[in-house]
Amino acid sequence: MAHFLVPQPSERMLGGLSRTLCGHAFSAEHHHHLCAIARARGWAGRVWVPVPVMELLSLPLSRKTFMPVRLTSSNGSVWVYHSSQFIAPLDAMQERWNARLRCLEAEEKNRDATLMASRVAPDSLPLSTNGERFDSATEDCMLRSVGSRDSASRYWATEAEAAWLYRTPFTDTYVSNPGNCVVSHANELCRPLALYNVEGTVDPSRFTKLTCRRYDPVNYNGHFYRPAVAMRMKMFALQYDCLDESQWITPRRAARLGLSLIPHVKPLLFSLERPLFLISIGATQRTSAPASVALPALAAGSAVTRDDIDICESQREKSLLTESLL
């Protein structure tokens, strides 16, 4: 079960990332953007307060302060204030949030008792397409929505996830029924999400323990890709049944390793300054021994070396990777 009363993560625990008053860490891109603004305005600390949280806790702003900063991502946009822009000091605001957490913890205990009384089996609780549980409010709505329907799945998805990621859309009849929709407001950094039980898709069997799990792809050097890139890679991995393999490489490197794509599989194309193709190792097959000699294009006397090409590809791929905080 979720536990609300946990120590607020320190900046060291968060790897130096800027965070919200609630403890959510910002992405590396947003972290750098917020740090630049804080430095320019002379604000100390890396704690920011989203406008919805400010309104929830009734936190008064200082007079004649700056406008909030708008952050935009694939989850929508949110406005945030720096903790220095409020009348109350940070520790007082943190205590106000902790008081809310204590109330939520009490509600959580009551919820646990209710779940035990209703005999909801742990393996029947709702899960996202990442195989993760939802917040308590969303979970309660989902359990009430499906009731005791035998046809209901434990997996829930947005229309976009079902249609684009799993290529298994919901039927028009199912989504047109308002009673099948549960709206989640779990994260103050994300827009509300409309979720549906995957029983309403054209093929509910597509959503299983094997396909609904986290997928964190890495490049040849073990660096993680950005969330938007990782989402495209998960779609590829679902399509070609290679979720078990998280490493991605270029076709040129695959050839050097004696690997080639399985027939009818196309690499992912990323349109950067120059096109970059990437493939999952899970969608390749061994066709030869790893190359131990120079490729034809890099024959003796060539002005371009293999190292030059490696560096060039690494530079082009860099924009697809999560940023270092150093």
Short mmCIF file of all heavy atoms in Angstrom, two decimals, residues 28-38 48 69-71:
data_model
loop_
_atom_site.label_atom_id
_atom_site.label_comp_id
_atom_site.label_asym_id
_atom_site.label_seq_id
_atom_site.Cartn_x
_atom_site.Cartn_y
_atom_site.Cartn_z
N ALA A 28 15.33 16.63 -15.61
CA ALA A 28 16.62 17.31 -15.71
C ALA A 28 16.50 18.61 -16.49
O ALA A 28 17.09 19.63 -16.13
CB ALA A 28 17.64 16.39 -16.35
N GLU A 29 15.70 18.59 -17.58
CA GLU A 29 15.54 19.79 -18.39
C GLU A 29 14.88 20.91 -17.59
O GLU A 29 15.34 22.06 -17.60
CB GLU A 29 14.69 19.49 -19.64
CG GLU A 29 15.34 18.48 -20.58
CD GLU A 29 14.93 17.05 -20.28
OE1 GLU A 29 14.71 16.72 -19.10
OE2 GLU A 29 14.84 16.27 -21.22
N HIS A 30 13.81 20.58 -16.88
CA HIS A 30 13.13 21.59 -16.07
C HIS A 30 14.01 22.03 -14.91
O HIS A 30 13.97 23.20 -14.51
CB HIS A 30 11.80 21.03 -15.56
CG HIS A 30 10.76 20.92 -16.63
ND1 HIS A 30 9.62 20.16 -16.49
CD2 HIS A 30 10.69 21.47 -17.87
CE1 HIS A 30 8.89 20.25 -17.59
NE2 HIS A 30 9.52 21.04 -18.44
N HIS A 31 14.79 21.12 -14.36
CA HIS A 31 15.70 21.47 -13.27
C HIS A 31 16.68 22.56 -13.71
O HIS A 31 16.85 23.57 -13.01
CB HIS A 31 16.46 20.22 -12.82
CG HIS A 31 17.70 20.50 -12.03
ND1 HIS A 31 17.67 20.94 -10.72
CD2 HIS A 31 19.01 20.43 -12.38
CE1 HIS A 31 18.92 21.12 -10.30
NE2 HIS A 31 19.75 20.81 -11.28
N HIS A 32 17.31 22.37 -14.86
CA HIS A 32 18.27 23.36 -15.34
C HIS A 32 17.58 24.70 -15.61
O HIS A 32 18.13 25.77 -15.31
CB HIS A 32 18.94 22.85 -16.62
CG HIS A 32 19.86 21.69 -16.39
ND1 HIS A 32 20.91 21.72 -15.50
CD2 HIS A 32 19.88 20.44 -16.93
CE1 HIS A 32 21.54 20.55 -15.51
NE2 HIS A 32 20.93 19.76 -16.37
N HIS A 33 16.38 24.66 -16.17
CA HIS A 33 15.63 25.88 -16.46
C HIS A 33 15.29 26.63 -15.17
O HIS A 33 15.49 27.85 -15.08
CB HIS A 33 14.36 25.51 -17.22
CG HIS A 33 13.48 26.67 -17.55
ND1 HIS A 33 13.91 27.77 -18.27
CD2 HIS A 33 12.16 26.92 -17.25
CE1 HIS A 33 12.92 28.64 -18.40
NE2 HIS A 33 11.85 28.14 -17.79
N LEU A 34 14.81 25.90 -14.17
CA LEU A 34 14.43 26.52 -12.90
C LEU A 34 15.65 27.07 -12.15
O LEU A 34 15.58 28.14 -11.54
CB LEU A 34 13.69 25.51 -12.03
CG LEU A 34 12.31 25.07 -12.54
CD1 LEU A 34 11.76 23.94 -11.68
CD2 LEU A 34 11.33 26.24 -12.57
N CYS A 35 16.76 26.35 -12.21
CA CYS A 35 17.98 26.82 -11.54
C CYS A 35 18.47 28.13 -12.16
O CYS A 35 18.92 29.04 -11.45
CB CYS A 35 19.08 25.76 -11.61
SG CYS A 35 18.85 24.40 -10.45
N ALA A 36 18.37 28.23 -13.48
CA ALA A 36 18.80 29.46 -14.16
C ALA A 36 17.94 30.64 -13.73
O ALA A 36 18.45 31.75 -13.49
CB ALA A 36 18.73 29.26 -15.67
N ILE A 37 16.63 30.42 -13.60
CA ILE A 37 15.73 31.49 -13.17
C ILE A 37 16.02 31.89 -11.73
O ILE A 37 16.07 33.08 -11.38
CB ILE A 37 14.26 31.04 -13.34
CG1 ILE A 37 13.93 30.89 -14.83
CG2 ILE A 37 13.31 32.03 -12.66
CD1 ILE A 37 12.55 30.33 -15.08
N ALA A 38 16.22 30.88 -10.87
CA ALA A 38 16.49 31.17 -9.45
C ALA A 38 17.78 31.96 -9.29
O ALA A 38 17.85 32.91 -8.49
CB ALA A 38 16.56 29.86 -8.67
N TRP A 48 10.08 24.30 -5.24
CA TRP A 48 9.09 25.08 -5.98
C TRP A 48 7.69 24.59 -5.62
O TRP A 48 7.51 23.43 -5.27
CB TRP A 48 9.33 24.94 -7.48
CG TRP A 48 10.65 25.50 -7.92
CD1 TRP A 48 11.88 24.94 -7.75
CD2 TRP A 48 10.87 26.75 -8.58
NE1 TRP A 48 12.86 25.74 -8.27
CE2 TRP A 48 12.27 26.87 -8.79
CE3 TRP A 48 10.04 27.77 -9.03
CZ2 TRP A 48 12.84 27.97 -9.42
CZ3 TRP A 48 10.60 28.87 -9.66
CH2 TRP A 48 11.99 28.96 -9.84
N VAL A 69 6.47 30.52 -12.97
CA VAL A 69 7.17 29.97 -14.14
C VAL A 69 6.31 28.87 -14.74
O VAL A 69 5.80 28.00 -14.01
CB VAL A 69 8.55 29.41 -13.73
CG1 VAL A 69 9.26 28.81 -14.94
CG2 VAL A 69 9.39 30.50 -13.09
N ARG A 70 6.18 28.89 -16.04
CA ARG A 70 5.39 27.85 -16.71
C ARG A 70 6.31 26.75 -17.22
O ARG A 70 7.30 27.02 -17.90
CB ARG A 70 4.61 28.43 -17.89
CG ARG A 70 3.69 27.40 -18.56
CD ARG A 70 2.94 28.01 -19.72
NE ARG A 70 2.02 27.04 -20.31
CZ ARG A 70 1.27 27.27 -21.39
NH1 ARG A 70 1.33 28.45 -21.99
NH2 ARG A 70 0.46 26.34 -21.86
N LEU A 71 5.98 25.51 -16.87
CA LEU A 71 6.73 24.34 -17.34
C LEU A 71 5.82 23.51 -18.22
O LEU A 71 4.69 23.22 -17.86
CB LEU A 71 7.22 23.51 -16.15
CG LEU A 71 8.12 24.21 -15.13
CD1 LEU A 71 8.43 23.28 -13.98
CD2 LEU A 71 9.40 24.70 -15.79
#
